[in-house]
Amino acid sequence: MYAFTRPNRLAAFCAPLALIGAFAAAPAGAALQETVQITNQFGTTFDAVDPTLKTGGSKETHYLGNYPTGSASELGLNYTATADQNGFFFLHDNYCVGSCRTASSTVIGFSVTNTGDGLVNTRFDSQITPGHLAKIYNGGGSAGFNFQVLKYNDGFSTLYEANGVVNSDGIQLNTGNLIFNNQQRQTGSNYDLLDWDTTNLSVNIGNIAGGQTVLVFYVVSYWSQTNDTCADVFVCGGNQVVFGDPRNNGGTNLTNFLGGLNAETGRAVIGADYGATFVPYAFVNSDDPFSFPEPQPGTPLVYDPLYKSRLNNVPEPATWAMMIGGFGLMGGALRRRRVTSVAFA
């Protein structure tokens, strides 16, 4: 958890005299002061139980594989949630292929104080990041998200709520009174996915009296889970949920382990490489125009192939057998000779 504080002068304080009448709700000299705190949690497991969550830093990346005979699995969990003076960098990416569980969450708490006199009718402007829900090979389990903006002032109240899930029944997306921009649905014989672009979010906080403090929380949680038994993760059921940048800077990173292929050769339905999105925010007078320009639509991705491992060259089962046999031969040879080992720091 970490925090920063900044003063946020309302537009009425420095507006030309001709515009003062438009901001009558804001008294002269009114100011909002904000303190921001971020708490992250995450967890992964290859067991058929929910992962034990633990508190993380501003960024965590975990790509793990488990390859027992007949039950290969891989999972990925990647998040970034770090504050900036004018917003925060944000990414959550959870996926499972085979039999595994992941979970992650971020709570961003804003403490907003009116340091002036009189009431300030306040609004919170921010954005919903681009997102992605997908499944392949009709895998069991699910992936999804819950998103809320909450206000605390003598009790909690929900200012906005959205949620989504992908499971054996398909994809369900509930965005309340807000429609996520440029939703793109793609389906095939072995996959189903939905993604969307950056979407502006504006919620009314209400009146904040002089000297009063109101807490606003940006609360998000994500999970993925599968229960498939398979010998090869490349033809196995899986699912993914992403809140990041799937249309602009995201894409599959194939350069590290597939013989020099690049991201333009295809973006995997599950396991793609997404980058963090900068999410601006502002606490403003409720009569002000929206703080940020309308997001420009990104280019829809073509998802192909279904899955690309984020780990280096996952061996086929037959290759595992040859490797194990080779290790045995190597062990016998080593027993017949003296070996001097040197460790380098």
Side-chain angles (χ1 to χ4, degrees), residues 63 76 93-97 132 134 136 239-240 242 251-254 257 267-274 306-310:
Y63 301 116
D93 177 5
N94 285 244
Y95 73 82
C96 280
V97 177
H132 169 108
I136 54 173
N239 53 53
Q240 182 175 36
V242 177
T252 308
N253 183 358
L254 307 179
F257 51 85
R267 292 174 169 88
V269 170
I270 300 217
D273 184 11
Y274 298 122
L306 292 177
Y307 176 65
K308 287 294 182 183
S309 171
R310 298 295 293 273

Side-chain angles (χ1 to χ4, degrees), residues 96-261:
C96 280
V97 177
S99 179
C100 53
R101 306 283 191 278
T102 71
S104 63
S105 68
T106 289
V107 177
I108 305 176
F110 303 92
S111 175
V112 186
T113 301
N114 178 3
T115 60
D117 299 324
L119 296 176
V120 179
N121 195 353
T122 310
R123 192 182 71 232
F124 173 65
D125 290 348
S126 186
Q127 291 180 331
I128 306 289
T129 70
H132 169 108
L133 286 165
K135 69 174 181 176
I136 54 173
Y137 291 110
N138 296 315
S142 64
F145 72 90
N146 288 313
F147 174 82
Q148 291 180 305
V149 178
L150 305 175
K151 171 185 173 181
Y152 183 83
N153 183 19
D154 297 327
F156 280 101
S157 58
T158 301
L159 304 178
Y160 177 75
E161 185 171 12
N163 53 72
V165 65
V166 53
N167 55 29
S168 58
D169 295 326
I171 299 176
Q172 297 85 43
L173 184 63
N174 172 26
T175 62
N177 58 357
L178 178 68
I179 302 300
F180 290 173
N181 283 339
N182 198 23
Q183 295 180 35
Q184 299 284 340
R185 185 77 177 264
Q186 297 184 42
T187 59
S189 59
N190 290 318
Y191 70 91
D192 190 9
L193 67 92
L194 174 70
D195 58 18
W196 56 85
D197 278 333
T198 301
T199 303
N200 284 339
L201 173 68
S202 180
V203 293
N204 287 322
I205 306 301
N207 289 325
I208 303 178
Q212 183 185 21
T213 297
V214 172
L215 304 179
V216 176
F217 296 95
Y218 188 103
V219 182
V220 290
S221 61
Y222 308 88
W223 77 90
S224 64
Q225 55 139 345
T226 49
N227 303 290
D228 286 0
T229 300
C230 60
D232 184 353
V233 293
F234 295 108
V235 288
C236 187
N239 53 53
Q240 182 175 36
V241 56
V242 177
F243 265 54
D245 193 7
R247 289 226 174 100
N248 298 313
N249 297 322
T252 308
N253 183 358
L254 307 179
T255 58
N256 293 332
F257 51 85
L258 288 179
L261 296 179

Side-chain angles (χ1 to χ4, degrees), residues 9 13 19 28 35 78 80 82 85 97 118-119 140 187 211 224 263 266 280-281 314 316 338 341:
R9 296 282 172 186
F13 180 62
L19 298 179
T35 299
N78 183 21
T80 300
T82 179
Q85 188 175 10
V97 177
L119 296 176
T187 59
S224 64
Y281 73 88
V314 179
E316 297 287 346
R338 295 183 63 185
S341 62

